[in-house]
Amino acid sequence: MTGGADAYYGRPVIKPPVWKVPDVPLYLYLGGVAGASSTMALLADLTGRDRLACAGRLAAAVGATASVGALVHDLHRPLRFLNMLRVIKPTSPLSVGSWILAPFSGLAGAAAASQLTGLLPWAGRASATAAGVIAPAMTTYTAVLLADTAVPGWHEVYRELPFVFAGSAVSSAGAVGMLAAPQESAPARRMAVGGAVLELLAARRMDRNAGMVGEVYRQGRAGAVLRAARVLTGVGLGAALLAGRSRVARVAAGVCLNAAAAATRYGIFEGGRESARDPRYTVVPQRPA
Amino acid sequence: MARNRLSGPLADPAGEVGYPADHPERVGFFTDTSICIGCKACEVACKEWNLLPEDGLDFTGMSYDNTEDLSGTTWRHVAFVEQERPTVDLGMPAMGRDSDQVRWLMSSDVCKHCTHAACLDVCPTGALIRTEYGTVLVQDEVCNGCGYCVPACPYGVIDIRPDTGGAAKCTLCQERLGAGSMPACATACPTESIQYGPLDELRARAERRVSELHEQGVTSARLYGHDPDDGVGGAGAFFLLLDEPEVYGLPPDPVVTTRDLPSMWWHAAGAALTAAAMIAGSFLGRKR
């Protein structure tokens, strides 16, 4: 296609997503933090790190609840939210996701409530354990949610996207643990570092394998946001490595890695929208060579 | 997993979802754009029958097309393509730029009622269903307006209705079919550019029409969406076009996104296990 000459007046071929900002990027980010925090809480509990377990449980509950809130707010008919649980459809990542998110947020909420009130400690612990086991699914199902669309920027990277989201979730949850439980933060720091490395490597791989549509993640607003996310991840990673000795580094790592995780989700969301608006990304890869 | 229930040819989509064997034949549209005159009677008939609100009077400046595209409140859309191209020189006296003439391409676009419909696959509430006629229908009273179907459609058809918040698109006039009538657009079309009927019959008729045009020297005529081996398992509404699909705003070779869904879930599971292993690994070693 030379410019817009052959396309239909340069109009998009597919419909750009109607999902709203900040609702959906927030939903993606919060779900990731909540999931990884919950597994962190479970392991902290098993290894006798009470403060880290408490921080993880609270982060899981707050993140999951807010994530549900963002999802419901994004619906065009929010009062019918429960219709999400009307059927179980393996072909719909949002149906599968709802059936992960609903029990997870319920269990995480119960665990946090028990933690805060001291009531029914055995039930709280059982809930926290169950939530922590479901939790890893929380960190990656949203990648399938985006990839299972006709949006070229999302579909083309379906192999790498879950790893980007997983790394980002682990590093941001580790960062939460560093901020909230400084005395027991060694495992959280290792999560922050490992997650950040995974995120950077997966993002790099995604960039290399995306083909022509990869340029939406390098240009415009999405490009700027993702560059900022990479810088924040890098700074957060460096700060996390120094955080054993310095309080300032610990706080900087905590803040930077969470900002990076949120920015990564928003950048990928925005890049996908751009790839849907420009008909080239739909048409050119579909044309016979 | 090249051939699974999520993609590939499928003889009977209605039977596949459990309608009894005596369900009606699969029906659809064959839109022959070579005889479309751009009257927009289909757009009007669709709006009238389906009680769809007007979308405002926008001047787009793009040819004669002020409808712009299919939307939640526009279920038929006539595309107008104005092409300037050299024509055969007959040696006749002419005014102005006699080497260039305008060729009009007009095509009434509609929901494709795919054999493998991504909108239906991704709908989390079950609002989108396969009907007994093999078409794809939104049950408005179930839809919660999540909007997942919108970016899932490889043709950019389905959309959220601004006035109701629900997803909406062509129903193939489901209630008219039940009463033994044709869809409103096909009934209103004065040139029979929009033909309605059993899909097998339409496919055979379309093959005859395309050979007829080729015999007449219209070598650019081609069918679009008729092939059960294509990326959506064949469309229930297919077209005869006179130029490349993208010229009409159609994707050249769309693939239902859920074809790759099993692989997507495997990758997500691998990533989730990686996350779990990473978190667990962070707790190994000395306690601090």
Side-chain angles (χ1 to χ4, degrees):
Chain A
M1 192 188 319
T2 50
D6 287 341
Y8 190 66
Y9 303 101
R11 297 193 59 84
V13 170
I14 63 165
K15 292 257 184 296
V18 289
W19 296 326
K20 295 186 280 281
V21 175
D23 298 2
V24 168
L26 261 183
Y27 155 76
L28 301 172
Y29 157 66
L30 291 167
V33 182
S37 295
S38 175
T39 305
M40 176 176 79
L42 172 59
L43 284 154
D45 186 41
L46 292 174
T47 57
R49 294 171 169 97
D50 291 343
R51 284 189 60 91
L52 188 60
C54 173
R57 283 178 193 170
L58 293 182
V62 171
T65 309
S67 178
V68 171
L71 178 60
V72 173
H73 187 258
D74 188 63
L75 297 179
H76 290 81
R77 290 168 168 174
L79 291 176
R80 295 192 192 174
F81 168 66
L82 283 177
N83 282 8
M84 290 285 189
L85 304 178
R86 195 179 155 261
V87 289
I88 300 181
K89 266 176 82 171
T91 62
S92 169
L94 192 47
S95 172
V96 175
S98 296
W99 284 102
I100 294 169
L101 180 58
F104 176 79
S105 54
L107 290 165
S114 163
Q115 177 93 48
L116 290 173
T117 59
L119 294 174
L120 301 174
W122 58 270
R125 194 155 184 228
S127 302
T129 305
V133 171
I134 306 172
M138 281 286 293
T139 64
T140 61
Y141 85 82
T142 47
V144 182
L145 179 68
L146 295 188
D148 193 31
T149 60
V151 174
W154 295 340
H155 185 90
E156 284 306 304
V157 298
Y158 74 81
R159 295 171 191 83
E160 296 84 9
L161 206 52
F163 290 90
V164 176
F165 281 15
S168 178
V170 171
S171 92
S172 53
V176 168
M178 289 168 68
L179 288 173
Q183 304 89 334
E184 297 168 349
S185 67
R189 221 161 52 228
R190 288 192 280 266
M191 280 173 61
V193 171
V197 170
L198 174 63
E199 181 187 343
L200 290 171
L201 290 177
R204 204 184 147 83
R205 200 180 156 78
M206 176 174 129
D207 202 43
R208 272 209 309 269
N209 296 348
M212 80 170 270
V213 77
E215 67 194 40
V216 297
Y217 297 121
R218 294 190 288 272
Q219 300 168 352
R221 178 186 291 245
V225 171
L226 287 172
R227 274 191 296 280
R230 268 199 301 279
V231 170
L232 285 165
T233 306
V235 171
L237 178 58
L241 288 169
L242 302 172
R245 286 178 293 278
S246 153
R247 181 170 174 275
V248 175
R250 184 171 56 77
V251 174
V255 172
C256 286
L257 290 175
N258 274 286
T264 297
R265 303 311 201 292
Y266 174 57
I268 286 168
F269 183 77
E270 191 58 45
R273 289 210 293 191
E274 184 52 37
S275 75
R277 284 190 285 256
D278 188 335
R280 280 189 312 129
Y281 299 119
T282 301
V283 171
V284 175
Q286 289 185 17
R287 278 210 303 222
Chain B
M1 241 184 281
R3 287 279 178 265
N4 53 47
R5 281 154 39 96
L6 297 170
S7 64
L10 181 64
D12 179 13
E16 173 81 2
V17 297
Y19 288 100
D22 60 348
H23 68 76
E25 273 182 291
R26 185 178 182 191
V27 295
F29 288 127
F30 166 45
T31 304
D32 179 353
T33 71
S34 69
I35 50 172
C36 176
I37 55 170
C39 69
K40 304 195 196 187
C42 51
E43 284 192 18
V44 177
C46 177
K47 288 250 181 200
E48 291 287 343
W49 178 264
N50 294 295
L51 289 172
L52 296 172
E54 58 128 358
D55 306 295
L57 287 171
D58 292 331
F59 178 68
T60 61
M62 42 187 243
S63 197
Y64 288 165
D65 182 3
N66 288 329
T67 307
E68 300 181 62
D69 51 15
L70 293 171
S71 74
T73 50
T74 298
W75 301 347
R76 270 279 178 190
H77 162 233
V78 181
F80 286 75
V81 183
E82 204 173 332
Q83 292 177 327
E84 272 185 22
R85 53 177 51 210
T87 51
V88 181
D89 184 7
L90 298 175
M92 303 285 278
M95 301 277 285
R97 291 189 302 163
D98 55 324
S99 62
D100 286 356
Q101 277 197 2
V102 167
R103 170 171 89 147
W104 283 103
L105 298 177
M106 289 158 286
S107 169
S108 178
D109 195 14
V110 69
C111 170
K112 314 301 177 292
H113 295 278
C114 306
T115 301
H116 296 284
C119 60
L120 193 163
D121 285 346
V122 305
C123 173
T125 63
L128 273 149
I129 56 161
R130 179 78 55 188
T131 71
E132 64 272 36
Y133 302 102
T135 60
V136 179
L137 185 73
V138 187
Q139 304 176 102
D140 183 60
E141 63 281 13
V142 176
C143 174
N144 68 5
C146 76
Y148 200 177
C149 51
V150 177
C153 174
Y155 298 96
V157 171
I158 196 165
D159 204 359
I160 295 287
R161 267 182 80 152
D163 55 339
T164 68
K169 68 167 192 69
C170 163
T171 65
L172 217 104
C173 287
Q174 174 78 6
E175 62 293 306
R176 288 176 65 92
L177 302 194
S181 306
M182 290 205 296
C185 54
T187 309
C189 179
T191 65
E192 292 186 348
S193 168
I194 299 174
Q195 300 175 30
Y196 161 82
L199 198 55
D200 293 336
E201 212 171 279
L202 292 177
R203 282 175 177 161
R205 201 186 300 170
E207 294 290 354
R208 285 199 299 277
R209 173 66 180 157
V210 93
S211 350
E212 187 183 305
L213 283 168
H214 286 175
E215 279 163 27
Q216 291 170 13
V218 187
T219 51
S220 65
R222 85 275 321 259
L223 296 180
Y224 174 82
H226 65 297
D227 182 2
D229 285 310
D230 72 14
V232 301
F238 65 100
F239 300 79
L240 186 153
L241 304 177
L242 297 176
D243 206 331
E244 299 295 334
E246 58 267 32
V247 171
Y248 299 87
L250 296 165
D253 189 14
V255 174
V256 59
T257 180
T258 36
R259 182 192 68 180
D260 301 321
L261 189 58
S263 179
M264 290 181 212
W265 281 125
W266 283 116
H267 282 87
L273 287 175
T274 306
M278 220 166 192
I279 298 170
S282 301
F283 282 84
L284 297 175
R286 71 200 160 94
K287 184 173 170 183
R288 222 186 335 149

